[in-house]
Amino acid sequence: MNPELNHPLGLLPNDESDQRLADLVHPSGWQNPTPKDRYDLVIVGGGPAGLVAAASAAGIGARTALIERHLLGGDCLNVGCVPSKALLAAAAAAQALRDASHYGISSSPPIVDFAAVMARVRRIRAEMASHDSAARFRDLGVDVFIGHGQFTAPDRITVAGQSLSFRRALIATGARPDVPPVPGLREASPLTNENVFNRTTLPRRLAVLGAGPIACELAQAFRRLGSEVTLLARRDGLLARDASEAGDILANRFSKEGIQLHWNALLQRVQRTPAGHLDLEYVHGSRPSRLEADEILVATGRRPNTEGLGLDTAGVTLTERGAVAVDDFLRTSNPRIYAAGDVCLEHQFTHAANFAARTVVQNALFPGRKRVSRLNIPHCTYTDPEVAQVGHTPASAQIAGIAVTPFTRHFRALDRARTDGITEGFVRILVRQGTDRIVGATIVGSGAGEMIGEVAVAMAAGMGLGTLGNVIHPYPTLAEALQQCGDAYNRTRLTPTARTWIERWLTWNRNR
């Protein structure tokens, strides 16, 4: 049995930081308010989508209630973005010491105090929790209810023995790790993003099941902190949703750092040995293989949290994958009820949940017709190098029937990349063929997550790649690659006919 289940909130080691976190986002002495006669908006789930919707609705004067049964802040604060990036920062610091000799600096191999690393992760999480605290949202004018919410009618929900009536409701209950039904896997008490940040000891040998963003980030982090890491990927490559070249670059870096990569690996069985280790049986390609590990981290997908909400009673239907079914306005099959975030969206990112919540507030409380399909949602995997994407990849553009022309600039050609010794990666911008309209971009390299926002701005503003080439970027920076892709496009406008007329113009002026 997972030890974190012994704590009512799943917080271990339940140190001072954990207690501070709980006091803010699930205070033990919290008194639920007396419900109002009728709410303009009742929100079920206090993760990023729920919190953004609550603050937005209350901020414009709507009578708003927020229900959360576990920890306010959701995955992002507690078991996702915040702790994972704090862990990645520690891993990057350790790797910087290993790489110092490349810059003519002598250093000893890093000595990793894993317990101290994780204590810092929990401390940072607790320091950031005040923004998501129950008291803050109460002070914003939101009625905050701690407890399990369940619909009892199409326009009513109960929580902690109280009944709330609403004009509109938002389901924002998020998702959780989906552990595949492999014999012995659950009995092995696998690590997931929900419990990995409770650890105080570093596993000597870690098997990682999955090849998506969570798997890649944590695999690299644990390797850099000292674990022997083996990654089992069901497919032939990393980050299947991103451009294939991006996954290839990341796989090459992983191999250099000592991560063992097994492609087309299908886990068959997990057993605990008498010595307490894990014996993993899997098919590697077409041949049976075995692997011994101390821990296994499962990051193979996520399952929407829809159980126990009374959705049948509310008239809310689900998709085949178990997500809440919504239309382009994020409205469910019950026109009074909307959904946002991981419980319904294909793009399961905090920033996607944020903007989906804003869409719901506009559409639910006003005669809004804001469509979620019109959102350009970038994403980034925070490995080293980072992998960032917005819009189409070449593969997705082909599936969508969009003919594209790519413009690519490799970092190895940039002065700043060469001076900093970070030449891996590239910027690739796709334009609709025959135009400079940007339909997608992939950036692989240091700071990719920061740079992708500039492309997203250009797409949102309808700015073409030619215009992007006219934006002046400081020298020397990695972001010059964006300008240089624009320059490359502008050079295509110099057709043979245009060149002929320019030559005639120059000749005429020369002979005047």
Side-chain angles (χ1 to χ4, degrees):
M1 178 178 291
N2 286 335
E4 65 271 10
L5 296 180
N6 296 329
H7 187 279
L9 297 177
L11 296 174
L12 286 177
N14 197 24
D15 58 10
E16 181 180 348
S17 294
D18 285 340
Q19 293 168 18
R20 180 182 176 190
L21 174 72
D23 288 343
L24 290 167
V25 298
H26 192 112
S28 59
W30 186 260
Q31 294 293 319
N32 286 342
T34 301
K36 304 289 194 306
D37 291 338
R38 195 183 192 209
Y39 288 95
D40 295 306
L41 184 65
V42 169
I43 301 159
V44 190
L51 294 179
V52 168
S56 300
I60 58 176
R63 186 177 291 179
T64 307
L66 174 66
I67 300 171
E68 172 56 54
R69 66 183 177 88
H70 192 45
L71 301 174
L72 287 165
D75 272 16
C76 183
L77 171 67
N78 299 293
V79 295
C81 313
V82 171
S84 67
K85 302 312 166 281
L87 182 68
L88 292 178
Q95 191 65 26
L97 291 175
R98 296 187 185 95
D99 293 340
S101 61
H102 299 323
Y103 301 89
I105 299 172
S106 299
S107 66
S108 302
I111 299 174
V112 175
D113 183 343
F114 188 75
V117 167
M118 298 307 287
R120 174 183 176 273
V121 169
R122 292 188 295 273
R123 184 176 69 253
I124 290 173
R125 179 174 63 179
E127 289 171 353
M128 296 176 66
S130 60
H131 187 73
D132 297 344
S133 69
R136 174 176 180 263
F137 278 81
R138 176 195 59 202
D139 294 344
L140 290 175
V142 179
D143 282 357
V144 179
F145 293 84
I146 302 296
H148 176 73
Q150 185 172 8
F151 291 98
T152 55
D155 62 350
R156 189 168 289 275
I157 190 168
T158 61
V159 54
Q162 300 189 89
S163 182
L164 283 62
S165 173
F166 57 81
R167 186 172 72 88
R168 296 288 186 267
L170 168 62
I171 300 169
T173 49
R176 65 186 184 278
D178 188 11
V179 178
V182 175
L185 181 56
R186 288 188 178 276
E187 291 76 10
S189 299
L191 298 174
T192 69
N193 74 289
E194 288 190 339
N195 58 29
V196 69
F197 302 109
N198 292 341
R199 292 195 64 87
T200 56
T201 59
L202 181 73
R204 186 173 69 84
R205 298 168 301 176
L206 177 67
V208 177
L209 192 63
I214 295 174
C216 289
E217 288 182 4
L218 292 179
Q220 188 176 45
F222 274 89
R223 175 58 189 152
R224 289 179 163 193
L225 292 171
S227 293
E228 298 174 12
V229 177
T230 302
L231 187 145
L232 305 179
R234 291 194 63 176
R235 298 179 179 85
D236 186 10
L238 302 175
L239 302 179
R241 292 192 176 189
D242 292 284
S244 58
E245 188 177 347
D248 293 342
I249 291 174
L250 190 59
N252 183 59
R253 170 65 74 89
F254 278 13
S255 295
K256 288 180 179 178
E257 293 188 6
I259 298 174
Q260 300 296 315
L261 301 172
H262 293 185
W263 309 125
N264 303 307
L266 184 61
L267 188 63
Q268 301 286 305
R269 181 180 299 276
V270 179
Q271 288 183 310
R272 180 77 65 177
T273 68
H277 306 308
L278 296 177
D279 182 39
L280 282 65
E281 299 177 20
Y282 62 101
V283 176
H284 185 196
S286 59
R287 70 178 188 275
S289 301
R290 301 179 82 97
L291 172 69
E292 191 173 87
D294 298 297
E295 298 285 354
I296 181 170
L297 171 70
V298 177
T300 53
R302 294 169 60 74
R303 180 185 297 274
N305 293 321
T306 57
E307 297 85 353
L309 295 177
L311 297 185
D312 288 342
T313 302
V316 174
T317 60
L318 303 179
T319 67
E320 289 185 2
R321 70 180 184 92
V324 173
V326 293
D327 62 14
D328 205 20
F329 307 106
L330 294 176
R331 186 174 48 201
T332 71
S333 51
N334 178 343
R336 294 177 179 271
I337 300 176
Y338 291 72
D342 292 359
V343 76
C344 66
L345 295 180
E346 179 183 358
H347 299 290
Q348 296 188 338
F349 312 117
T350 293
H351 48 284
N354 180 319
F355 276 83
R358 301 182 192 198
T359 298
V360 166
V361 170
Q362 180 173 325
N363 291 342
L365 300 183
F366 302 98
R369 305 296 288 173
K370 194 172 183 180
R371 295 176 181 269
V372 71
S373 61
R374 292 177 181 168
L375 297 176
N376 272 322
I377 302 175
H379 66 264
C380 183
T381 300
Y382 296 93
T383 46
D384 181 11
E386 293 180 354
V387 178
Q389 175 72 41
V390 65
H392 282 292
T393 65
S396 68
Q398 184 176 14
I399 293 172
I402 301 173
V404 298
T405 301
F407 291 88
T408 303
R409 188 66 170 169
H410 290 276
F411 282 137
R412 61 176 177 267
L414 293 178
D415 292 353
R416 181 58 184 270
R418 296 173 69 180
T419 59
D420 289 3
I422 48 175
T423 55
E424 282 181 307
F426 60 89
V427 171
R428 176 169 297 134
I429 300 178
L430 306 180
V431 298
R432 189 179 289 272
Q433 197 172 84
T435 75
D436 74 338
R437 179 186 170 192
I438 301 171
V439 298
T442 299
I443 303 179
V444 181
S446 177
E450 305 294 337
M451 282 187 281
I452 201 69
E454 185 173 342
V455 184
V457 168
M459 294 175 70
M463 180 190 300
L465 183 54
T467 304
L468 191 59
N470 294 326
V471 175
I472 301 174
H473 291 75
Y475 172 88
T477 59
L478 298 179
E480 283 185 283
L482 299 170
Q483 175 190 329
Q484 292 170 5
C485 284
D487 290 342
Y489 167 78
N490 285 330
R491 285 193 293 271
T492 68
R493 300 170 65 185
L494 187 60
T495 63
T497 300
R499 181 180 289 276
T500 297
W501 281 106
I502 290 172
E503 289 174 353
R504 289 178 179 177
W505 170 258
L506 294 173
T507 299
W508 182 77
N509 277 278
R510 193 182 308 124
N511 296 327
R512 290 180 61 184

